Structures are given as structure tokens and as C-alpha cells.
RNA sequence: GCACCGGUGGCGAAGUGGCUAACGCGCUGGUCUGCAAAACCAGUAUUCGCCGGUUCAAUCCCGGCCCGGUGCUCCA
């Protein structure tokens, strides 16, 4: 199937295919590991995950490179405040970041590249730029990119820089608003600052050169797609293009994929608004990992997403419905004859699902296609008209759905427990909601023992005792489900 | 200020120049149950921010206005 995706560079929806016909080479800007990731960060990583998973479903092999920025102004500042070298400051946040990706079922890219481990590539690239007369050194020993040497500057973000002054420059990542100016490639160390001793002189790399150097090292001068959050379009990605194309004289990334920001309860997420949430904040509040993934995925990437707690609760229910359905199809007694209508509906669901994703990654429609199948399947099972072939077909479609959405397997309880243990280690257990703590105050074995006692009480028609146990568990957020073949329980 | 995106039922949200305006949650009714819960089924927007215009026909195209958001500065 032809995959069509919006390309920021051309402003059009275009066909997506690997240049070499087989391996899809993509680069995605990763985290700056100076703090825990927030849900806005993860929306971007999740949408890139959906993209790479869909490429795989369509038979392509991704070669996906992601950087980890482990040296920049913020890291230097925070590490100094904590009184440790940056090399001791970043590992815990990098570790936390990858743990969070696991929680959200985000696949690990084929290659993860740390900035501090690629200094020589960056130095080589800057030397190349200097040879091309696109980079120059200043009195303090820093190196800058000469924007005036790259007439196409602004082609990604559609900005007009024709009036740019040659030689105007800024030396830090964070600076006061002025005009766009030459950006730093290499920053000379301030007194006492950590630095590398290189052919360029002592210093550390600028933020933009890192991605250019590492993308080129692993993917070559030109590759299929470059991804990131919408805010990175300018200046970060614009600068990457300027550096890379000035050095290689080739088109850097053919396709640019930008994920829109999310709002929280209708407002921009910010610490001052009090609506700033890390993944771990949400787990400690009792929201399930699968619901968070589902919510952040369900709104197409080019659309602003309004993240709300009502929405999160709704997605919990939606995931539950899908899981219950899968379980029911697996265990259903099938009819002797196949249901032609149901087979048709199953095929249509699968077709709609793929077509929706192929159409600029419309996850909302893809998801709707699966719920259509849930309804049709349940109705057929109610009527006792689902054949064994029907069941196989439905499970196959659910399997494909889950290759993208990855929410059917239930790891929620273990991730919640993981977050609680982390909070305990960090002395942050007080941030957990009372309900989450209560839910995890009993072990699975203790719960099962109570459930068994209730079943026995029911059998001897001691409903008072049975109801007392049910209430006791309910108070701890544990719900029971009576069915013909026994009792199931779960943490709500 | 300049540039850009969006405003669809109680909430989240898809979509289309004319056909029943998806889907999830919620709500209401039903099936099931010792009673519940869970599960399942069914119903649930004559209407798509406001005002004009184009058109035989507009929620969808054009213009203006109002509201929310984003970029222009570190940010996913």
C-alpha cells in the first residue's frame, strides 16, 4: 500500500518510500537528559513510534537513529547546581527516559547515539564547513556557522532571512530576542566549564551540529526522513539542513515529519500553569500506561491534542473494551458454519485500518475501524454465529492493530508498581494517590485468597460474608467480575 | 506586531461540496445476575464558533470578525 505523509519541507502530502527500495533510513531528535520526560515529550516519541511500526507492518525495514543530548547549557547549569560533573548528572535521566519508553511500549530505535560519544564526527564536520568557508572562528575560540553562505536558509520553516547580516552571532543556546543570527557550532569553554580538547581548540559542541554529525555518520549524507516536535523546525532543523547540506552538497533528509504540541486541559502545558505532568506523575495518580499511550496516539500527529484527565479515563475504558473483546473471541464457542457477513466486516475493518494509517497516519480513523469490528464481532458472538474461521480472522486483525497501537497485552499493573517503587526510592511516595497505594497494599496472592473465600461463602449462600469481602476489595480499588467460569479480579 | 494551525453532540475527536456527520467515553433503556458489578446489545448532534459571499446545493470553498493554540527565543 502507498503510504502518504505530510512533508514539512514541501508543505504537501507525499508518498513515502525508502530511497533504496528496502531499508527506510530515519532520524528522530531524542531527549536532552536533564530532567524526567513530560507527556508532551512522549507524544512526539509515541507518534514516531507509530510511524516506524506502520512502516514495518507495510513490509519496510526501518533504520531508525535517535540522539541523546547529554551535553548542553541546561545540563551544564543543572549539573553545576547539583555539584556534579555532567557525566554523573545525565545517566539517571537517560535511564529514566528509556524506562519511560518501555512503560509506553515505544520500540527502541535501531541506533541510539550519545552526543558526548561523537565529538570527533562533529569536529570533522565543523572542519569541513570551515574548508567550505561556511564556518569561522571568533576571538574567544568559538566557531560559528555563516548563515549568509547558505542562501536556502529558511526553506524548512518558510522564513525569509535574506536580510541577514553576515557575522552577527550569538554564543549560547538561550539568548534574548533579537534577530536571527549566525549560530554556534562549537563553544569555547567558560572558566571551569567541562570541555573537550580538539583540533578546533578546547570547547564543546553546539546543539545543532550534534544531530547533523550523528545522522550523517549512521545514515549517510542523505536519508529518507527526519522527525521531531514542531518546535524543533526552527531553528534546530533549519540549522541542521544548513550545516549538512553545506558540507555534503546533497539534500539532507528528503522528508520532514513534525509532531504538534499538546495542550493540557485546554491550556499550554507549563510549570507556572500547574498543568505540567511527567509520565511518572500520571502513573502515581493511578492512570494506566496503556491508557496514556492510547490517548497520546489516538489524535493524529498533525493535530493539536487536548490532554485531559477525563480523556485519560475514557481511554482506560476503551482499552478495556478491546482487551475484553480479544479475550472473548479467543474463548468463544464457535459455530459450525462460517458467518459470511462477519467475514466481510472483518476484511473491511482491516482494510479501513491500513488505509487510515496510510493516509497521513490517521490514527483516529484507524482506531475507529477496529471498534467497528468489535461491535460486529460481539453481535455475532451474542447470536452464536461466529465460526472458527471468523474467530481466526478477527484475532489476526486485532494482532495487526496491536502491532501499531500496542495496548492489548496488559502490563499496566507492573508499570504502576514500577512507578511506586521508584517513588519510594526517591522519597516521593507522598505524590502517589491514596487509591494507587491502597490498590497495591495487597499482593496478588492475598487478593486471590479473599476472592476464593468469597466464592466459598457464595456457594454456601452466605451472601452477607460474600458481599463484605466484595466491599472490602472495592474500597481498595479492586473490582470483581463474576462470570459463568469463575471470578476474575483486577485493579481498577 | 508578523507568520501559521484549529473551533464539530456532555467530554475527547474523525470526516465530507449533495448519500444515516465516524469512533471512544458518558448518559438512557434492555439482556445477564442471589443482589450488584463487569460484559454485551440498542438509543443518544435536523446540526458542524459568528456574519457575509460563491454555488442548484456549504459544516466542508472564499472574505471578515470572535475565541483557543503555535512559531518568530530554550522547549517535544
Amino acid at each position: 500500500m502507498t503510504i502518504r505523509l505530510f512533508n514539512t519541507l514541501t508543505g504537501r502530502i507525499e508518498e513515502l518510500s525508502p530511497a533504496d527500495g528496502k531499508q527506510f533510513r530515519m532520524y528522530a531528535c531524542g531527549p536532552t537528559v536533564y530532567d524526567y520526560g513530560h507527556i508532551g515529550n512522549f507524544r512526539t516519541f509515541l507518534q514516531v513510534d507509530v510511524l516506524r511500526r506502520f512502516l514495518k507492518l507495510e513490509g519496510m525495514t526501518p533504520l531508525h537513529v535517535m540522539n541523546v543530548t547529554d551535553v548542553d547549557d541546561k545540563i551544564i547549569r543543572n549539573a553545576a547546581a547539583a555539584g556534579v560533573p555532567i557525566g554523573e548528572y545525565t545517566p539517571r535521566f537517560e535511564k529514566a527516559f528509556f524506562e519511560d519508553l518501555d512503560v509506553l511500549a515505544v520500540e527502541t530505535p535501531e541506533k541510539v547515539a550519545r552526543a558526548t560519544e561523537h565529538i570527533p564526527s562533529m569536529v570533522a564536520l565543523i572542519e569541513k564547513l570551515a574548508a567550505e568557508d561556511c564556518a569561522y572562528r571568533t576571538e574567544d575560540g568559538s566557531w560559528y556557522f555563516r548563515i549568509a553562505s547558505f542562501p536556502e536558509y529558511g526553506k524548512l520553516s518558510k522564513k525569509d532571512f535574506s536580510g541577514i547580516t553576515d557575522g552577527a552571532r550569538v554564543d549560547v543556546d538561550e539568548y534574548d530576542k533579537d534577530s536571527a543570527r549566525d549560530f554556534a557550532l562549537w563553544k569555547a569553554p567558560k572558566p571551569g566549564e567541562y570541555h573537550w580538547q580538539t583540533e578546533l581548540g578546547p570547547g564543546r559542541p553546539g546543539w545543532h551540529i550534534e544531530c547533523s554529525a550523528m545522522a550523517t555518520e549512521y545514515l549517510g549524507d542523505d536519508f529518507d526522513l527526519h522527525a521531531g516536535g514542531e518546535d524543533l523546525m526552527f531553528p534546530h532543523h533549519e540549522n541542521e539542513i544548513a550545516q549538512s547540506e553545506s558540507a555534503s552538497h546533497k539534500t539532507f533528509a528528503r522528508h520532514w515529519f513534525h509532531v504538534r504540541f499538546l495542550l493540557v486541559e485546554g491550556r499550554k502545558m507549563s510549570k507556572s500553569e500547574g498543568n505540567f505532568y511527567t509520565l511518572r506523575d500520571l502513573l502515581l495518580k493511578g492512570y494506566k500506561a496503556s491508557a496514556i499511550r492510547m490517548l497520546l496516539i489516538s489524535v493524529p500527529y498533525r493535530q493539536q491534542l487536548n490532554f485531559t484527565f477525563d480523556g485519560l479515563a475514557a481511554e482506560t475504558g476503551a482499552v478495556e473494551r478491546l482487551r475484553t473483546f480479544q479475550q472473548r473471541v479467543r474463548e468463544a464457542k464457535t459455530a459450525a458454519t462460517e458467518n459470511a457477513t462477519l467475514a466481510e466486516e472483518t476484511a473491511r475493518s482491516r482494510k479501513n485500518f491500513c488505509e487510515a494509517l496510510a493516509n497521513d497516519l490517521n490514527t483516529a480513523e484507524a482506531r475507529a475501524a477496529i471498534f467497528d469490528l468489535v461491535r460486529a464481532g460481539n453481535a455475532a458472538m451474542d447470536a452464536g454465529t461466529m465460526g472458527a474461521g471468523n474467530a481466526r480472522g478477527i484475532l489476526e486483525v486485532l494482532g495487526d492493530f496491536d502491532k501499531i497501537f500496542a495496548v492489548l497485552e496488559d502490563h499496566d499493573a507492573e508499570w504502576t508498581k514500577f512507578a511506586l517503587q521508584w517513588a519510594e526510592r526517591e522519597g516521593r511516595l507522598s505524590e502517589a494517590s491514596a487509591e494507587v497505594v491502597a490498590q497495591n497494599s495487597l499482593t496478588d496472592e492475598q487478593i486471590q485468597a479473599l476472592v476464593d473465600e468469597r466464592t466459598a461463602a457464595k456457594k454456601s449462600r452466605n451472601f452477607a460474608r460474600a458481599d463484605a469481602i466484595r466491599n472490602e476489595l472495592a474500597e481498595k480499588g479492586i473490582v470483581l467480575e463474576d462470570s459463568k467460569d469463575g471470578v476474575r479480579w483486577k485493579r481498577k
Side-chain angles (χ1 to χ4, degrees):
Chain A
M1 189 178 307
T2 307
I3 301 176
R4 305 179 74 245
L5 198 70
F6 183 81
N7 182 354
T8 312
L9 186 61
T10 58
R12 282 196 301 268
I13 291 182
E14 293 174 353
E15 274 189 33
L16 199 66
S17 57
D20 69 6
K22 269 198 72 186
Q23 191 175 48
F24 193 87
R25 289 170 298 149
M26 58 190 277
Y27 185 91
C29 289
T32 300
V33 284
Y34 68 100
D35 204 347
Y36 293 101
H38 57 71
I39 53 177
N41 293 314
F42 291 116
R43 182 191 192 196
T44 300
F45 294 115
L46 244 2
Q47 291 289 351
V48 172
D49 187 56
V50 167
L51 172 63
R52 78 177 321 261
R53 283 170 176 268
F54 186 52
L55 293 175
K56 283 165 72 178
L57 188 67
E58 290 296 308
M60 294 182 209
T61 307
L63 172 57
H64 175 186
V65 178
M66 182 180 77
N67 68 297
V68 170
T69 300
D70 55 356
V71 54
D72 88 325
D73 287 353
K74 278 192 291 284
I75 289 170
I76 289 171
R77 184 184 63 206
N78 287 13
V84 296
I86 60 168
E88 283 176 33
Y89 181 79
T90 55
R92 68 187 269 241
F93 293 114
E94 184 185 314
K95 179 166 174 276
F97 173 75
F98 285 104
E99 286 168 352
D100 288 353
L101 291 189
D102 278 347
V103 170
L104 292 173
V106 174
E107 292 183 340
T108 309
E110 279 66 33
K111 177 71 197 174
V112 172
R114 286 188 197 90
T116 54
E117 293 171 1
H118 294 79
I119 302 294
S121 311
M122 300 178 208
V123 169
L125 180 55
I126 295 169
E127 287 180 320
K128 181 108 184 268
L129 288 172
E132 298 272 348
D133 204 27
C134 300
Y136 59 93
R137 186 174 191 272
T138 57
E139 326 69 54
D140 72 337
S142 293
W143 290 77
Y144 287 83
F145 183 87
R146 191 189 314 281
I147 288 178
S149 73
F150 190 69
E152 289 177 277
Y153 193 78
K155 68 178 175 180
L156 179 69
S157 53
K158 317 281 184 284
K159 294 182 195 303
D160 182 7
F161 290 92
S162 51
I164 195 131
T165 336
D166 193 4
R169 58 181 181 265
V170 290
D171 74 335
V172 286
D173 297 339
E174 300 170 88
Y175 47 88
D176 293 331
K177 180 174 181 170
D178 200 330
S179 59
R181 292 178 287 184
D182 288 359
F183 55 90
L185 298 166
W186 185 258
K187 300 178 181 185
K190 300 200 171 63
E193 213 172 69
Y194 185 83
H195 60 271
W196 283 263
Q197 203 53 253
T198 72
E199 294 84 341
L200 298 169
R204 63 185 172 90
W207 175 38
H208 314 297
I209 198 72
E210 155 192 335
C211 286
S212 281
M214 296 194 289
T216 304
E217 178 166 339
Y218 297 107
L219 299 172
D221 287 336
D222 57 323
F223 51 94
D224 296 309
L225 179 139
H226 193 128
E230 61 170 323
D231 58 310
L232 297 186
M233 205 163 89
F234 184 88
H236 185 55
H237 291 161
E238 200 73 69
N239 291 353
E240 279 186 59
I241 289 173
Q243 296 163 345
S244 300
E245 300 193 351
S246 292
S248 71
H249 304 290
K250 287 183 189 159
T251 301
F252 184 46
R254 292 189 295 130
H255 200 109
W256 287 83
F257 177 82
H258 289 106
V259 181
R260 290 227 128 182
F261 271 12
L262 57 72
L263 306 180
V264 175
E265 304 288 351
R267 302 226 60 87
K268 181 179 175 159
M269 179 169 69
S270 75
K271 287 184 176 164
S272 56
E273 285 269 354
N275 63 355
F276 185 95
Y277 300 105
T278 65
L279 175 63
R280 288 159 199 240
D281 289 337
L282 297 181
L283 293 176
L284 291 181
K285 281 177 183 288
Y287 294 101
K288 295 180 176 182
S290 59
I292 299 168
R293 178 175 170 99
M294 190 73 164
L295 178 59
L296 293 178
I297 277 180
S298 291
V299 175
Y301 74 97
R302 272 214 291 154
Q303 205 64 38
Q304 213 167 46
L305 174 156
N306 187 9
F307 183 96
T308 65
F309 288 102
D310 284 350
L312 205 43
E315 292 311 307
T316 311
V319 170
E320 201 55 44
R321 181 167 155 88
L322 293 169
R323 287 177 179 168
T324 305
F325 176 68
Q326 187 183 46
Q327 185 72 13
R328 189 176 178 204
V329 175
R330 278 181 179 152
E331 294 170 357
K333 252 193 247 114
T334 52
T337 52
E338 294 302 322
N339 181 332
T341 312
L342 181 57
E344 226 170 81
E345 283 165 331
T346 306
R348 193 186 318 134
S349 163
R350 153 88 217 206
K351 180 167 172 281
N352 290 346
F353 176 74
C354 288
E355 281 179 356
L357 290 174
N359 179 21
D360 201 20
L361 236 47
N362 191 332
T363 47
E365 278 202 345
R367 177 183 189 275
I370 293 306
F371 279 102
D372 287 338
L373 178 62
V374 171
R375 203 171 337 96
N378 273 323
M381 283 187 279
D382 284 351
T385 60
M386 181 182 74
N390 290 133
R392 265 196 309 279
I394 290 172
L395 290 174
E396 212 169 284
V397 175
L398 284 177
D400 282 346
F401 161 79
D402 213 42
K403 281 179 188 161
I404 309 295
F405 279 73
V407 292
L408 293 180
E409 262 186 62
D410 188 349
H411 299 290
D412 292 325
E414 56 186 274
W415 292 129
T416 300
K417 198 172 289 177
F418 164 80
L420 281 169
Q421 286 166 351
W422 165 79
E424 199 171 353
R425 280 198 309 275
E426 296 282 320
R428 297 171 67 166
L429 209 49
S430 62
E431 291 170 29
S433 77
E435 195 181 25
V436 176
V437 175
Q439 270 174 13
N440 286 276
S441 64
L442 294 177
T443 64
D444 292 5
E445 292 71 32
Q446 288 170 320
I447 294 168
Q448 192 57 51
L450 285 167
V451 169
D452 291 344
E453 189 190 339
R454 170 173 171 270
T455 306
K458 269 205 326 183
K459 204 162 274 174
S460 56
R461 305 195 65 79
N462 182 357
F463 294 124
R465 176 61 189 147
D467 289 354
I469 293 173
R470 185 168 70 194
N471 290 338
E472 184 193 331
L473 289 170
E475 267 170 39
K476 299 200 160 173
I478 291 150
V479 292
L480 304 185
E481 290 170 25
D482 292 342
S483 76
K484 288 185 185 69
D485 16 65
V487 184
R488 264 201 295 268
W489 64 267
K490 67 182 181 204
R491 294 186 171 89
K492 196 169 59 180

